[in-house]
Amino acid sequence: MGTDMDEGLVIIWHSRTGGAAAMARAAMQGAAKYAPDIPARLIPADAANAKHVIGARACLFVCPENLASMTGVMKEFFDRSYYPVLAAGERIAGRPYATAIAAGSDERGRRGKSTGS
C-alpha cells in the first residue's frame, strides 16, 4: 500500500459460526452491486492491520456478539491497530465506517423482559 486511500471499502470480519462471515459476504455483494466503481475487499480480522484501515476510503467491521461484546479476535485486531491508526490522525479523520454485529437468533437480547401473566 503506497498512499492513503489506495483501497476502497475494506470489510474486516471475524466469524465463529458462519453468521458474521455471511454478513460480510453480503456486504461485499451489496457494495459490488450498488457501488461498482468503488473496490471492496474482505479481510479476516486476524490478517488485518492498521495499514488496511489507513489505506481504505471506508471500513466495515463485522463480527459476532459474544457475551455482549465483540469476539476476542476482533478486539485483538483493534488492539493491534489502535496506536498506528491514532497516529494517522487528521489523514483519516472523517472517513466513513460502520459495524455489523451478528447476534443470536433466540431474540432474548432484543426483547424486553417478560413480567409473566
Side-chain angles (χ1 to χ4, degrees):
M1 223 174 278
T3 62
D4 284 354
M5 299 198 306
D6 286 345
E7 298 196 54
L9 171 63
V10 172
I11 303 168
I12 298 172
W13 65 277
H14 175 253
S15 188
R16 291 205 182 279
T17 63
M23 289 172 59
R25 285 190 305 273
M28 179 81 164
Q29 291 169 350
K33 181 176 181 178
Y34 294 105
D37 56 324
I38 299 173
R41 181 174 173 200
L42 288 169
I43 306 170
D46 58 357
N49 60 53
K51 290 179 183 179
H52 294 115
V53 174
I54 294 166
R57 285 194 236 170
C59 291
L60 175 61
F61 304 101
V62 183
C63 70
E65 171 270 335
N66 189 21
L67 299 172
S69 186
M70 69 183 81
T71 57
V73 174
M74 185 62 84
K75 168 103 173 49
E76 200 272 331
F77 156 73
F78 282 112
D79 288 347
R80 281 186 286 112
S81 303
Y82 179 76
Y83 288 109
V85 170
L86 186 64
E90 291 300 314
R91 292 189 350 236
I92 65 167
R95 290 189 194 166
Y97 69 94
T99 58
I101 309 298
S105 60
D106 65 6
E107 300 182 357
R108 284 183 288 195
R110 70 177 179 96
R111 283 190 189 169
K113 290 187 179 183
S114 174
T115 58
S117 319

